[in-house]
Amino acid sequence: MKSETIAAIATPLGEGGIGIIRISGDDSLEILNRIFRPASGKPVKSRMMTYGHIINPEDSSITDEVLAVYMKGPKTYTAEDVAEINCHGGLIPLKRVLSLVLGAGARLAEPGEFTKRAFLNGRLDLSQAEAVIDVISAKTDRFFDAAIDQLEGSLSRKTEAISAKVMDILVEMAVNIDYPDEDIEELTYEKLTTELKSVIGDIEKLLAGAGNGKLLREGIAIGIVGMPNVGKSSLLNCLLRESRAIVTEIPGTTRDTIEEYMSIRGIPVKLTDTAGIRTTDDKVEKIGIERSKKILGEADIVILVADASRALMDEDIEIMKSLVPGRSLILLNKTDLEMVTKPADIKAFAPEVKIIETSLISGTGAEDLEYAIYDMVSDKTEQAGDGNLITNVRHENALREALSSAEDALKGAEERQPLELIEIDVSGCRNALGEVTGETASADVIDEVFSRFCLGK
């Protein structure tokens, strides 16, 4: 079938050394030849970069000096004929060249349409296509490695292996249902139970990486709380290694939450600096304090900053008593001054929470804090790159649906229900597994996935 030829700008808009126009479809070479004149005067050859000029066919005027390449399908990104024009990386040359490409017969591509064609043409499955988005949007090395692993088909292979097991069960069930009187091996409930337990174990193993994948994708939320003027904003600035928050000796300087993103040893982190918690009549400050208290319950990790140069206040003690061991840290700051409050004083109210002594004005203890944060979450991210990470909510939901169907089938087998009823749940398991790779995904799901892509990808 002859498909429409599509084109789009494949690089970010703005000034740069190079900007690329991508063309895909049966007419790619024909369209390129209409507007491209090789400097050598020789025809464009497949997979050879050619120097020349983009020409306006109406008056033969030069639009841009470019390098162009044509690639014969199916060994291309879309598995179709593809042409790419490397222009000067400015907004005007890219728009002018794209206009000529469209005028020569191409249609402007929809967001994600190049990758969608790669999926429809069988070069990528749906989970691999979604990994393309993750590779592009990755903010840390760990998440990038996990995305590349998925792009290379690790999740697909594991899902397909489980699906093959389920298919074998369905075949055995179908034979026993359709040919009960034939001389064939009977599928016993004991054997069915064993096989379903194996499938359930495999799915559970994949789902065990769902929380880890979410952590790498979305990062961890760290809330910095404490009384006014204890060093919360100094901590934010110290971790970011820049002056993001205003630091003064005046209590109550921070009246609202300040959010910043960073990477701590490869883990994406959202840092939230909060207003100092204290009793006040200031209406604006009160709102900030309420938000601070909300952060205490919502953050993945809470860092309480306490002032070592003064005695613990009632507000300090109240927060300490609310801290959850395993997801809380206490920073005893200003240890360069005479220490009025010591770690032993804090242990009386938060005996199981790790305490780190710091002097943020000099940066002392900041590295210890980074290691402490990393230690709290590293066990959840060690699997990055081993193919067991589920970084996509759609994949997780499909796997949970598959698990639920498999568990229902197992319950039916254990209760000796008719095979016809058990087969319904087993089929549901296989369909849900197919959702991950796109084998059984509906057109609406596929369209929704590719709608999240940027134009030109």
Side-chain angles (χ1 to χ4, degrees), residues 136-297:
I136 294 172
S137 62
K139 298 295 188 297
T140 66
D141 289 338
R142 281 175 170 261
F143 185 58
F144 178 81
D145 291 341
I148 286 291
D149 197 55
Q150 185 171 309
L151 181 59
E152 293 300 309
S154 178
L155 176 61
S156 304
R157 288 190 294 273
K158 292 178 182 295
T159 305
E160 288 167 354
I162 300 172
S163 185
K165 281 187 178 182
V166 177
M167 190 62 196
D168 288 341
I169 295 173
L170 283 171
V171 170
E172 290 180 300
M173 294 180 74
V175 170
N176 280 264
I177 292 170
D178 295 339
Y179 306 101
D181 300 326
E182 296 294 329
D183 185 19
I184 55 176
E185 181 183 357
E186 182 180 359
L187 176 63
T188 64
Y189 282 104
E190 288 77 11
K191 182 180 180 184
L192 180 57
T193 298
T194 300
E195 292 176 346
L196 287 171
K197 285 182 178 179
S198 176
V199 168
I200 289 172
D202 290 343
I203 298 175
E204 287 177 336
K205 185 177 179 181
L206 273 183
L207 280 171
N212 307 340
K214 183 180 179 182
L215 187 67
L216 284 183
R217 184 186 186 93
E218 300 178 6
I220 57 174
I222 297 180
I224 304 172
V225 300
M227 291 189 64
N229 209 31
V230 294
K232 299 186 302 300
S233 297
S234 295
L235 173 59
L236 178 71
N237 293 339
C238 184
L239 289 173
L240 293 174
R241 293 173 175 82
E242 64 176 83
S243 296
R244 173 62 179 86
I246 299 173
V247 178
T248 73
E249 295 180 357
I250 303 172
T253 302
T254 302
R255 295 189 168 205
D256 198 357
T257 56
I258 299 175
E259 292 185 353
E260 282 293 333
Y261 292 84
M262 63 175 295
S263 172
I264 294 182
R265 306 192 184 282
I267 300 171
V269 168
K270 180 179 77 173
L271 288 171
T272 304
D273 179 21
T274 64
I277 297 176
R278 66 171 177 172
T279 301
T280 179
D281 294 326
D282 189 301
K283 291 183 179 180
V284 176
E285 191 176 353
K286 277 185 177 180
I287 295 173
I289 291 170
E290 287 304 313
R291 292 183 179 179
S292 300
K293 292 180 178 178
K294 187 179 180 183
I295 292 294
L296 273 170

Side-chain angles (χ1 to χ4, degrees), residues 203-449:
I203 298 175
E204 287 177 336
K205 185 177 179 181
L206 273 183
L207 280 171
N212 307 340
K214 183 180 179 182
L215 187 67
L216 284 183
R217 184 186 186 93
E218 300 178 6
I220 57 174
I222 297 180
I224 304 172
V225 300
M227 291 189 64
N229 209 31
V230 294
K232 299 186 302 300
S233 297
S234 295
L235 173 59
L236 178 71
N237 293 339
C238 184
L239 289 173
L240 293 174
R241 293 173 175 82
E242 64 176 83
S243 296
R244 173 62 179 86
I246 299 173
V247 178
T248 73
E249 295 180 357
I250 303 172
T253 302
T254 302
R255 295 189 168 205
D256 198 357
T257 56
I258 299 175
E259 292 185 353
E260 282 293 333
Y261 292 84
M262 63 175 295
S263 172
I264 294 182
R265 306 192 184 282
I267 300 171
V269 168
K270 180 179 77 173
L271 288 171
T272 304
D273 179 21
T274 64
I277 297 176
R278 66 171 177 172
T279 301
T280 179
D281 294 326
D282 189 301
K283 291 183 179 180
V284 176
E285 191 176 353
K286 277 185 177 180
I287 295 173
I289 291 170
E290 287 304 313
R291 292 183 179 179
S292 300
K293 292 180 178 178
K294 187 179 180 183
I295 292 294
L296 273 170
E298 294 180 348
D300 298 311
I301 294 177
V302 173
I303 300 176
L304 168 62
V305 184
D307 187 345
S309 67
R310 69 187 187 195
L312 291 177
M313 308 288 284
D314 291 341
E315 290 87 349
D316 290 315
I317 296 171
E318 181 184 350
I319 299 173
M320 288 176 186
K321 289 180 177 179
S322 70
L323 296 178
V324 179
R327 71 176 193 90
S328 305
L329 294 168
I330 296 176
L331 227 63
L332 188 55
N333 190 30
K334 304 185 183 181
T335 55
D336 54 310
L337 305 176
E338 182 181 352
M339 291 182 65
V340 177
T341 295
K342 298 180 180 179
D345 301 318
I346 294 174
K347 284 293 184 182
F349 304 103
E352 299 181 31
V353 179
K354 183 178 179 64
I355 301 171
I356 300 172
E357 298 182 43
T358 64
S359 172
L360 294 174
I361 195 170
S362 63
T364 303
E367 187 174 358
D368 293 336
L369 173 63
E370 289 190 10
Y371 276 113
I373 294 172
Y374 178 76
D375 288 342
M376 293 179 77
V377 296
S378 62
D379 59 327
K380 297 180 180 180
T381 60
E382 285 176 351
Q383 301 174 50
D386 68 358
N388 285 332
L389 286 177
I390 306 298
T391 60
N392 187 295
V393 174
R394 190 186 71 81
H395 301 165
E396 181 182 355
N397 290 339
L399 287 170
R400 293 199 183 282
E401 184 180 343
L403 178 62
S404 177
S405 295
E407 288 174 339
D408 288 343
L410 176 60
K411 181 180 178 181
E414 290 173 339
E415 295 175 352
R416 301 296 197 269
Q417 294 179 6
L419 291 180
E420 290 86 349
L421 295 179
I422 301 173
E423 184 185 31
I424 295 173
D425 290 322
V426 178
S427 295
C429 176
R430 185 172 186 276
N431 287 335
L433 290 169
E435 288 276 347
V436 175
T437 59
E439 181 184 356
T440 60
S442 66
D444 288 341
V445 169
I446 293 170
D447 289 340
E448 194 276 331
V449 166

